[in-house]
Amino acid sequence: MRTRIRLTRDGEAFLTRLTPAQAEACHQALAFLYDRIPGATARAVQLGTNPKAVDSLTERLAGEHRQSFELRLTLDELHILHSALTATAVMLLEHGAFSHEKFHRRTAFYRENFDALARGIVEAVTEV
């Protein structure tokens, strides 16, 4: 999976072009946390925003993307994606241990993909 993301400014927001795999990884992270974290307040703490913002972003990433597509993201939405990608692994800890197999079964991705994509978001923001 390509983990490099490029951003360009669009006023206060950012434009990016996501590959189908990048969109699916972000969607899986958001959907997993939505299913795993009970209650809007706990999700707000985990993702740093309100439930409506998370729902809206999750819907925009949903679906079967057959080719790369452009997406306009606010700074808050970039934060949501970064938080979701980095928090998924933590939510899969069992008795203090991480299972790569369980992560892959649940998300269809490797943890390294999520970590690299999260890092790619931060790097892209610093380059804009």
Side-chain angles (χ1 to χ4, degrees):
M1 179 176 86
R2 195 178 96 209
T3 57
R4 178 106 170 108
I5 291 179
R6 295 187 197 281
L7 297 171
T8 55
R9 276 278 189 189
D10 183 26
E12 291 294 312
F14 300 87
L15 291 176
T16 189
R17 187 162 188 79
L18 294 181
T19 67
Q22 290 170 332
E24 181 62 17
C26 291
H27 182 262
Q28 285 292 329
L30 289 167
F32 171 77
L33 291 175
Y34 189 85
D35 292 342
R36 186 76 178 217
I37 302 172
T41 303
R43 281 193 294 272
V45 168
Q46 188 75 57
L47 298 172
T49 193
N50 66 68
K52 289 181 184 176
V54 176
D55 291 345
S56 173
L57 184 55
T58 302
E59 287 175 18
R60 289 169 47 211
L61 292 167
E64 189 174 323
H65 301 282
R66 297 190 185 275
Q67 51 190 294
S68 296
F69 64 99
E70 194 169 274
L71 190 63
R72 186 175 191 272
L73 298 165
T74 65
L75 186 59
D76 286 342
E77 289 171 329
L78 287 169
H79 179 265
I80 294 167
L81 292 178
H82 183 269
S83 295
L85 290 164
T86 56
T88 300
V90 174
M91 297 305 293
L92 284 165
L93 290 175
E94 285 187 7
H95 308 292
F98 177 76
S99 168
H100 288 279
E101 181 182 339
K102 185 175 180 182
F103 187 95
H104 189 265
R105 265 186 307 178
R106 177 56 182 90
T107 67
F109 290 91
Y110 296 103
R111 179 181 181 176
E112 292 82 8
N113 298 133
F114 275 37
D115 291 344
L117 192 52
R119 180 177 176 179
I121 290 170
V122 173
E123 289 174 349
V125 169
T126 63
E127 294 172 359
V128 174

